[in-house]
């Protein structure tokens, strides 16, 4: 633990800056309680900057970010920029450039938050998805032949390396051990169809588990069935480990199960490097500047950052404040339905967390 942290802040597009502001407010408030300081440095990368300068990510961007202790990201995505440019050029470029090989996405229903899943409560919905974050279909391997013609061919290949699969699986086993819930790690894949890629995941999963994690129970679920169980029996899950694309899909489902995008946070993690924390939801451009967007996901992502920096007490204070606000104050997590504005929710959490 250090006494001061250098944090790179990438507010990004749409409502990103508004939610990040509230996360920073909360961080400052808890830090002063523990006599710690944060030094925040803003980077204006995103849609507006791209429109003005033509630059998505500056050439030295990755090297610059490596000098920080962690990165907080608001949201990437601009209605006037063609889909793919910012997502691939910025968000994925950061994930790949900083080798964020883990995308950690907790799915936790807080008391007072309503879930669309009938008859399930906070004791049932509490699991964590460990998504591989640098390979699979996201590796960008593929191409077109005869593009735009009737004979067009499009190929997009899922890359799964032994090294990439193993480091992700090891992280998930470690995380599961540390989390200490049911000590059950579920591999999510599609072994009945993806007989090369899922097969590699399955072999590594059992090999590593048998050799180094005999205390962790190994479970398996096909990805389609996982979607079913997440709705039908979410209480079965403790930690799930999954390749990139399947992980992207099941974590949107997870976000809904835990009450919505308003509270879904995630971390792009390089355990040996500089990690980046973000709300799972997008830039929600239609709500920009209205003080209606829910900042809890961004605030929770800041708590995840603190946890990884070793600042468990500060992280717990924030999480407890979020739980308290959900149980006692905030009516609904949806934008404009909270009963408070964006800034007011930030004030509530900042005040409660720094008590
Ligand atoms: C996410 C997002 C990204 C992804 C997009 C914006 C590239 O959906 O963080 O889940 O697919 O990973
Ligand atoms: Mn996604």
């Amino acid at each position: 633990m250090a006494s001061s942290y250098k944090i790179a802040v990438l507010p990004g597009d749409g409502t990103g800056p508004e939610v990040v502001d509230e996360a920073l407010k909360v961080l400052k408030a808890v830090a002063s309680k523990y006599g710690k300081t944060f030094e925040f440095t803003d980077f204006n990368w995103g849609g507006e900057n791209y429109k003005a300068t033509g630059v998505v990510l500056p050439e030295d961007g990755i090297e610059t970010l490596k000098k920080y202790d962690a990165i907080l990201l608001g949201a990437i995505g601009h209605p006037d920029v063609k889909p793919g440019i910012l997502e691939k050029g910025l968000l994925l470029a950061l994930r790949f450039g900083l080798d964020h090989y883990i995308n950690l996405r907790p799915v936790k229903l807080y008391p007072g938050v309503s879930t669309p899943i009938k008859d399930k409560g906070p004791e049932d919905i509490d699991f964590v998805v460990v998504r591989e974050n640098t390979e699979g279909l996201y590796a960008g391997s593929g191409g077109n032949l005869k593009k735009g013609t009737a004979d067009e061919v499009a190929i997009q290949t899922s890359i799964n390396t032994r090294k990439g699969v193993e480091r992700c699986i090891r992280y998930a086993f470690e995380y599961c051990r540390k989390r200490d819930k049911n000590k059950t790690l579920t591999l999510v894949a599609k072994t009945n169809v993806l007989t090369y890629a899922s097969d590699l995941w399955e072999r590594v999963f059992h090999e590593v588990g048998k050799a180094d994690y005999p205390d962790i129970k190994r479970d398996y679920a096909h990805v389609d069935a996982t979607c079913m169980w997440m709705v039908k029996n979410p209480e079965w899950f403790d930690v799930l480990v999954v390749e990139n694309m399947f992980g992207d899909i099941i974590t949107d489902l997870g976000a809904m199960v835990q009450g919505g995008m308003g509270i879904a946070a995630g971390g792009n993690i390089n355990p040996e490097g500089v990690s980046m924390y973000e709300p799972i939801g997008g830039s929600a451009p239609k709500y920009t500047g209205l003080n209606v967007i829910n900042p809890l996901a961004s605030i929770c992502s800041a708590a995840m950052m603190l946890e990884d920096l070793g600042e468990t007490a500060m992280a717990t204070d924030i999480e407890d404040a979020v739980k308290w606000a959900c149980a006692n104050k905030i009516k609904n997590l949806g934008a404009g339905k909270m009963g408070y504005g964006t800034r007011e929710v930030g004030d509530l959490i900042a005040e409660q967390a720094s008590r």
Side-chain angles (χ1 to χ4, degrees), residues 276-295:
M276 176 170 84
Y277 301 84
E278 59 173 345
I280 292 186
S283 57
K286 68 177 177 184
Y287 297 123
T288 305
L290 302 178
N291 194 40
V292 296
I293 195 82
N294 187 340

Side-chain angles (χ1 to χ4, degrees), residues 32-50:
S32 66
K33 177 175 162 187
Y34 291 92
K36 305 248 170 175
T37 52
F38 290 105
E39 196 186 300
F40 298 118
T41 309
D42 263 28
F43 294 86
N44 70 344
W45 305 338
E48 287 303 326
N49 184 55
Y50 171 66

